[in-house]
Amino acid sequence: MELVVQFQVLNQSCQCLAWKPCPVIAWGAESQHVVAGYSDGTIRVFSISRTEMELKMHPHAVALTAIAYSTDGEMILSGGKDGLVAVSSPRTGMTIRVLADHKGSPITVLQCTRKQYRDFGVEGGELWLATSSDRRVSIWASDWLKDKCELLDWLSFPAPAGPEGLDSLPPSLAAFCPWEPGTLVYVGFGMQKEALFYSLCKKQVVEKISLPYFATSLSLSPAARFMAVGFGERFLRLLCCPASDAQDYAGHDDAVHLCRFAPSGRRLLTASYSAVLVWELTG
């Protein structure tokens, strides 16, 4: 529990970051690169082992709000406050594609996952999703080496008339379900307080799990059927899916705005205003 490396960028706030995935052949190895998105629209790639910044790109004109590596680590997907999604190559530093489908609403989530080549009848070995503050989720199939990127599905979730300004609403969050391929989970401001499981094959919601409040954070375990949901009411709910068991945990000093399972699934990291908590999952 000690600080090993620290990178500082003066006069800019880091809005989002992501670890570069390890190549399949180096299973068990630690990733040595982190990409971070900043308030001035820049992206910086840092090498942990060499303790230096390796690359700086400027694909956005506004602050970044979400960032992710492609599953092979060869591309960086970044989303801005204006709803634009950029696809950039960390090898060349070039932005190869800009998608304006979510334009006008901040991107809240970008996530990539592997897929079988002919899944859903489209080419490419990768699925990725983008979620924006206006409760819309787009799902894409891509093959970046062949410059292919195809819209697979487009989801819009209804909601009652909310207070003025999106900042006061709970975030729109989506994630691919690790234990149900072709399924994604969505939480956000809506008609009901619930988590929705949507099947890309059936093109419909296949399961709903009631929640006590609107969620402020979401994470799905890569190792077991566990889902962690954080709330503005300062507690965390751990759900065993299908929703047969739910356990609530207190201990936060404010809204639980981040929760992340470790790749092993044995630990869960949660963050609130001034505290980071690490939970151990037993049994």
Side-chain angles (χ1 to χ4, degrees):
M1 294 293 291
E2 62 178 307
L3 179 64
V4 181
V5 183
Q6 183 172 338
F7 300 102
Q8 285 187 311
V9 176
L10 298 177
N11 305 320
Q12 296 299 329
S13 58
C14 179
Q15 309 284 71
C16 47
L17 54 83
W19 284 95
K20 182 178 180 179
C22 293
V24 177
I25 52 172
W27 188 87
E30 290 184 2
S31 175
Q32 294 294 318
H33 288 89
V34 167
V35 63
Y38 288 85
S39 51
D40 63 348
T42 58
I43 290 173
R44 290 169 171 83
V45 177
F46 298 101
S47 167
I48 304 299
S49 55
R50 292 163 56 185
T51 63
E52 66 181 25
M53 184 181 80
E54 290 190 347
L55 181 66
K56 178 183 174 183
M57 299 181 281
H58 203 155
H60 296 270
V62 298
L64 272 85
T65 50
I67 200 160
Y69 271 99
S70 61
T71 52
D72 60 6
E74 293 297 314
M75 292 294 165
I76 293 170
L77 285 72
S78 54
K81 203 171 181 179
D82 56 3
L84 296 183
V85 175
V87 182
S88 308
S89 166
R91 287 184 183 272
T92 64
M94 301 289 289
T95 297
I96 62 167
R97 190 182 285 253
V98 176
L99 300 159
D101 300 72
H102 289 269
K103 189 175 182 179
S105 186
I107 301 297
T108 51
V109 179
L110 290 169
Q111 190 193 2
C112 303
T113 188
R114 294 184 190 279
K115 83 176 210 4
Q116 298 300 312
Y117 196 72
R118 287 289 179 183
D119 278 359
F120 313 109
V122 293
E123 292 186 6
E126 179 164 284
L127 282 182
W128 63 275
L129 63 79
T131 309
S132 49
S133 294
D134 56 1
R135 302 174 301 282
R136 294 186 299 167
V137 184
S138 59
I139 300 96
W140 306 77
S142 60
D143 186 336
W144 301 120
L145 293 177
K146 294 182 179 178
D147 195 30
K148 288 189 176 181
C149 184
E150 187 175 338
L151 181 65
L152 198 64
D153 213 333
W154 182 267
L155 314 179
S156 294
F157 294 95
E164 288 297 317
L166 285 171
D167 290 345
S168 58
L169 295 179
S172 302
L173 305 171
F176 289 111
C177 186
W179 59 83
E180 289 288 350
T183 301
L184 61 89
V185 180
Y186 172 85
V187 295
F189 183 65
M191 309 306 285
Q192 304 291 333
K193 301 177 181 74
E194 58 191 2
L196 303 174
F197 286 72
Y198 179 88
S199 168
L200 292 169
C201 297
K202 297 179 180 178
K203 304 277 187 182
Q204 66 184 45
V205 173
V206 291
E207 186 183 356
K208 298 180 179 181
I209 297 178
S210 294
L211 300 174
Y213 305 100
F214 289 117
T216 50
S217 54
L218 171 74
S219 184
L220 282 74
S221 170
R225 290 174 171 263
F226 281 117
M227 179 168 74
V229 185
F231 300 99
E233 287 68 23
R234 305 185 182 192
F235 75 93
L236 174 79
R237 173 164 287 190
L238 190 65
L239 290 146
C240 182
C241 301
S244 57
D245 192 24
Q247 199 78 35
D248 292 338
Y249 299 93
H252 292 89
D253 59 355
D254 209 311
V256 186
H257 65 255
L258 181 86
C259 51
R260 286 286 184 276
F261 279 99
S264 66
R266 292 177 183 170
R267 285 199 170 95
L268 174 69
L269 182 144
T270 60
S272 54
Y273 178 70
S274 62
V276 176
L277 305 184
V278 181
W279 308 80
E280 191 148 7
L281 281 75
T282 56

